Amino acid sequence: MNNNQVGRRNILKYSAVGIAMAATARAQAEEQATARGSNGKRYKKETRKTEVLVVGGGTAGTPTYFSRLLDFEKRVIFVASHVTEEKRIIRMTNKYNLIAGLVCFCLSAGSFAAERPNLLILLTDDQKLDSLGCYKQEQPLPTPNIDKLAADGIRFNNGFVTTPICAISRACILTGRYSCKSGMTKFKSLMPQPVFEKSYNMLLQNAGYYTGQIGKYGVRSTKEQLARFDFYDASMDQGPMFRNYKGKKLHDSAWLTQRTSDFLDTVPAGKPFCLQVNYKAPHASSCPAPEDDHRLDDYIFEKNPLDNEEAAALVPEIVRNSFLGVCYYKDLYGGSGFNPIGGNYKELYGDGDPSLFSRQYYEKIASVERSVGQIRAMLEKRGLADNTVIIFLSDHGNHFGEKQLYAKWSPYEQSLRVPFIVYDPRPQAQKGQVRDEMVLNIDVAPTLLSLAGVKVPEVMDGKSLLPLITSASPVESKDWRTEFFFEHYHSGCKGVYIARNEGVRTVDAKYLRWIDPPQPIEEVFDLSKDPDELKNLVNNPEHQERVKKLRSTFDEWRQANPANYEHIPSKTFNAPEIDWAQFKKKNAKDYKKIAAAVNQLGVTWEQATDDWETRKKIWNATKIYY
């Protein structure tokens, strides 16, 4: 019996599929009811006066209650509507008589959920798909807790993000929208108020949920917006590796486990909750927990098979010379500092050993793995496990040396793919499934709303995963997506250029476009035959029909969903037009450096603006990317 259910003896529940008949009844009684809230704590006994309670059913995962009474032969008619916070159990009264007529209804697949579920989102940072045992059996460190979550629920083999960068992907998760639709395109994009109001947090709160965000929230918001959360202990930036908690120094993952417990302590009795737990790990700004550090000192990490010059030569030069190339040597191979675009990274950083970085990456995941197990045990101990849906995913994937690239930001599979697990403990949900449908970060918000019985706004681009959660068989392609679009318009990170890109991925192909060069660079891959994306088919005469179709598909979508990215000279890359007088006024120091480079190179300001090669020379000389 779930904690939030009260007055069970007063409920006439119809759970068989088919026709149910309600008996005529008249009763009036007083009953002492002791209930538990979402936080697992008892609250004060109270007297409940109840005549007759009749509960109906709706689609699986979307419980409905007969909550409105209309006069029928001076008696009662029942009308189904979604439950609200304070109407978890509806009392049906008539001052003199109460006659329940014949009620006929047919329930959908699965048993009827008598209450709305609690919702828990566990979000990691920079976690690549194959870093968990449930996705790749052999791991440097085992991940039994996360593997069990996948075994208990549904593991999606084709989880993706639509924009592979921290802040923007997190905004996509919150809003259920593509970046171009939400206006969140950069690290410091401030979430517009109308977009915030339609985020899953606010919509659930309006529907009676107790909402919380802890850890690396990562999305720029106003103080007024953050104050709207019922429980907020989070950072809009990376956040610290360790935190002080009541005199103790806790690693981020341990601190998040503790704050999850604190959150549950504050949930009001009778309220369902929705909490998003945002881990730093295994992002480069995090570190292994003390108990995990050096666990893999003796582990031998093999070099990625695609970490070679031949594979790297297939990547456009503008990408190799971007932050993806810098991080390959700086982070993966243990160098330090930044090298100007066009420089020789190998000479600067050398052929370092990636073992240190790889070791720490997996040791960081160990702290998340431990936290997931502790949080699930916590839910079990509090009596909440049977009615708490858990979604586990990462904000994006990660290159690990493939094509001599490291980190995210690219439209290649290593960057777009993420682990994606959904566990719904209730009877109507599938258990122990592995599914191959394409699911996205923008699907999280509509899924949460559907689970809670809240209408999904039309502005959301994602799809509710309920049909996949409740279906025992694959969903036909006509009923699910066969393509999705991706876009990455943020172009600067710590003063180094990030190659901007966009495109479309189908179930078996990908069209991508690097948009910054004067003539954008296109790549097309047949993923069914070339999953490593090594054979660009864009100029292959045998594939031109497919290339044209993919290009057209993306162009039609982009025309209907125009990019809304605003270039800011010296802060972002490849601004199409620059007012140098205004630039000098706002960025005097940067302007002075650029002017010196213009004079030294003997070029004109027009060339400094319009000529690609001249721009690159100025970037190299000044480290200012405009």
Side-chain angles (χ1 to χ4, degrees):
M1 185 177 295
N2 295 325
N3 294 334
N4 294 337
Q5 295 170 307
V6 295
R8 286 296 183 268
R9 285 174 287 178
N10 302 316
I11 299 177
L12 301 178
K13 178 179 177 183
Y14 303 90
S15 58
V17 174
I19 296 176
M21 182 175 293
T24 301
R26 182 173 185 263
Q28 187 166 356
E30 291 188 355
E31 180 179 5
Q32 294 290 332
T34 301
R36 288 182 183 269
S38 300
N39 58 6
K41 290 188 174 182
R42 294 180 181 273
Y43 61 87
K44 186 178 180 180
K45 291 185 178 181
E46 61 181 33
T47 299
R48 298 182 180 275
K49 292 185 178 181
T50 307
E51 284 75 25
V52 175
L53 300 146
V54 178
V55 181
T59 58
T62 311
T64 56
Y65 289 74
F66 290 111
S67 62
R68 187 178 176 190
L69 306 180
L70 297 178
D71 196 3
F72 174 67
E73 292 185 354
K74 306 300 182 182
R75 299 295 189 270
V76 180
I77 286 181
F78 307 93
V79 179
S81 67
H82 288 296
V83 69
T84 59
E85 171 193 351
E86 302 301 334
K87 296 181 179 178
R88 185 171 302 279
I89 296 178
I90 306 302
R91 290 181 292 176
M92 298 179 298
T93 66
N94 183 290
K95 185 174 182 180
Y96 305 103
N97 290 303
L98 186 131
I99 300 177
L102 180 66
V103 179
C104 297
F105 56 89
C106 184
L107 297 178
S108 64
S111 62
F112 166 71
E115 61 181 318
R116 294 180 294 174
N118 302 310
L119 305 169
L120 179 63
I121 304 91
L122 305 177
L123 182 64
T124 60
D125 196 328
D126 270 27
Q127 188 166 14
K128 62 196 188 90
L129 178 70
D130 60 358
S131 63
L132 297 172
C134 54
Y135 284 98
K136 182 181 178 182
Q137 189 171 3
E138 295 183 4
Q139 294 291 335
L141 287 175
T143 53
N145 291 313
I146 300 175
D147 296 347
K148 186 177 188 307
L149 183 70
D152 290 345
I154 301 172
R155 186 190 82 206
F156 290 97
N157 281 335
N158 289 302
F160 297 90
V161 299
T162 54
T163 299
I165 192 168
C166 305
I168 303 163
S169 180
R170 290 163 188 267
C172 292
I173 291 170
L174 294 173
T175 65
R177 306 191 200 189
Y178 282 107
S179 171
C180 64
K181 303 282 279 296
S182 70
M184 305 295 289
T185 55
K186 297 175 289 186
F187 280 129
K188 295 186 178 181
S189 293
L190 185 66
M191 183 173 286
Q193 189 63 29
V195 175
F196 178 77
E197 294 295 343
K198 294 293 184 180
S199 66
Y200 84 73
N201 291 105
M202 293 301 102
L203 293 172
L204 287 175
Q205 188 181 77
N206 293 340
Y209 270 74
Y210 186 79
T211 62
Q213 287 280 347
I214 57 177
K216 182 184 172 180
Y217 179 57
V219 179
R220 295 289 166 177
S221 307
T222 65
K223 292 181 179 179
E224 291 75 16
Q225 288 173 347
L226 299 182
R228 293 277 296 280
F229 290 101
D230 296 302
F231 191 104
Y232 180 86
D233 193 355
S235 305
M236 288 187 286
D237 53 15
Q238 297 294 348
M241 299 178 186
F242 293 88
R243 309 220 188 197
N244 291 319
Y245 181 84
K246 296 183 178 180
K248 296 181 180 179
K249 183 180 180 180
L250 296 181
H251 180 267
D252 176 72
S253 296
W255 177 81
L256 285 168
T257 305
Q258 178 60 55
R259 292 304 278 155
T260 298
S261 178
D262 296 342
F263 169 86
L264 294 175
D265 286 341
T266 67
V267 179
K271 264 184 178 280
F273 66 78
C274 179
L275 173 65
Q276 184 168 314
V277 180
N278 303 286
Y279 296 94
K280 279 178 64 68
H283 190 276
S285 67
S286 64
C287 68
E291 59 266 47
D292 299 317
D293 201 8
H294 298 292
R295 286 178 64 184
L296 291 173
D297 278 357
D298 297 328
Y299 188 89
I300 299 175
F301 287 89
E302 300 292 340
K303 191 173 183 179
N304 191 291
L306 294 178
D307 185 353
N308 57 67
E309 295 285 352
E310 183 180 358
L314 301 174
V315 178
E317 181 184 8
I318 190 174
V319 181
R320 297 199 305 273
N321 288 336
S322 74
F323 206 33
L324 278 156
V326 172
C327 288
Y328 170 74
Y329 289 103
K330 171 187 172 293
D331 291 330
L332 188 61
Y333 280 86
S336 61
F338 294 95
N339 195 40
I341 288 177
N344 190 324
Y345 303 127
K346 199 166 185 177
E347 289 182 4
L348 181 64
Y349 299 117
D351 289 318
D353 183 0
S355 296
L356 172 63
F357 188 88
S358 300
R359 170 181 73 75
Q360 291 186 338
Y361 183 87
Y362 286 96
E363 289 173 348
K364 294 172 188 178
I365 293 174
S367 68
V368 176
E369 150 69 18
R370 183 167 50 252
S371 174
V372 171
Q374 291 170 344
I375 288 174
R376 290 195 72 185
M378 185 190 307
L379 294 173
E380 189 70 40
K381 184 176 181 180
R382 291 171 178 261
L384 300 172
D386 291 341
N387 195 44
T388 300
V389 178
I390 302 174
I391 298 178
F392 178 98
L393 76 160
S394 180
D395 58 359
H396 47 71
N398 215 61
H399 285 277
F400 232 65
E402 302 88 352
K403 304 177 183 178
Q404 296 192 340
L405 302 175
Y406 172 74
K408 49 273 185 182
W409 313 306
S410 89
Y412 298 129
E413 292 289 279
Q414 294 84 0
S415 179
L416 292 178
R417 281 185 173 274
V418 293
F420 203 123
I421 299 167
V422 177
Y423 170 57
D424 185 342
R426 300 171 302 162
Q428 65 267 41
Q430 295 297 313
K431 309 294 187 295
Q433 268 199 352
V434 178
R435 302 193 69 102
D436 291 325
E437 292 91 350
M438 293 192 296
V439 296
L440 310 176
N441 56 344
I442 58 174
D443 295 336
V444 172
T447 299
L448 295 172
L449 296 176
S450 296
L451 286 166
V454 177
K455 183 179 178 181
V456 178
E458 293 182 1
V459 294
M460 287 190 175
D461 300 303
K463 297 168 68 75
S464 169
L465 300 180
L466 279 188
L468 309 185
I469 295 172
T470 58
S471 175
S473 58
V475 175
E476 294 185 21
S477 59
K478 66 181 180 65
D479 297 322
W480 196 250
R481 68 168 58 89
T482 57
E483 62 194 24
F484 73 90
F485 303 90
F486 52 84
E487 51 188 350
H488 192 306
Y489 270 61
H490 184 76
S491 60
C493 182
K494 298 181 180 178
V496 179
Y497 161 58
I498 296 176
R500 300 190 300 149
N501 56 80
E502 58 188 7
V504 57
R505 190 199 192 277
T506 70
V507 293
D508 61 359
K510 181 184 293 181
Y511 168 84
L512 66 92
R513 180 186 294 165
W514 301 98
I515 63 176
D516 285 321
Q519 182 63 43
I521 299 170
E522 297 176 309
E523 296 186 77
V524 174
F525 301 105
D526 182 344
L527 298 174
S528 64
K529 298 177 181 179
D530 180 26
D532 292 326
E533 300 170 300
L534 300 175
K535 299 177 182 178
N536 184 6
L537 304 176
V538 72
N539 294 320
N540 189 316
E542 297 179 4
H543 294 271
Q544 286 310 295
E545 184 176 346
R546 190 179 199 182
V547 170
K548 291 178 182 177
K549 184 178 180 180
L550 288 166
R551 183 189 292 127
S552 176
T553 297
F554 177 76
D555 287 342
E556 289 177 7
W557 179 80
R558 178 52 84 206
Q559 185 175 4
N561 303 275
N564 59 0
Y565 185 79
E566 179 185 1
H567 292 275
I568 304 175
S570 85
K571 298 298 181 183
T572 59
F573 177 78
N574 194 31
E577 296 180 3
I578 300 176
D579 183 336
W580 287 110
Q582 186 71 6
F583 185 99
K584 181 178 181 180
K585 183 178 180 180
K586 289 189 175 183
N587 304 283
K589 290 183 179 179
D590 288 349
Y591 179 86
K592 185 176 181 180
K593 292 179 182 179
I594 293 172
V598 168
N599 292 333
Q600 185 177 0
L601 293 171
V603 298
T604 66
W605 282 100
E606 183 177 8
Q607 289 175 303
T609 305
D610 299 332
D611 182 70
W612 183 262
E613 292 302 322
T614 300
R615 275 198 181 203
K616 286 207 295 185
K617 291 177 182 178
I618 295 174
W619 299 336
N620 290 341
T622 65
K623 299 183 179 65
I624 299 169
Y625 308 95
Y626 61 88

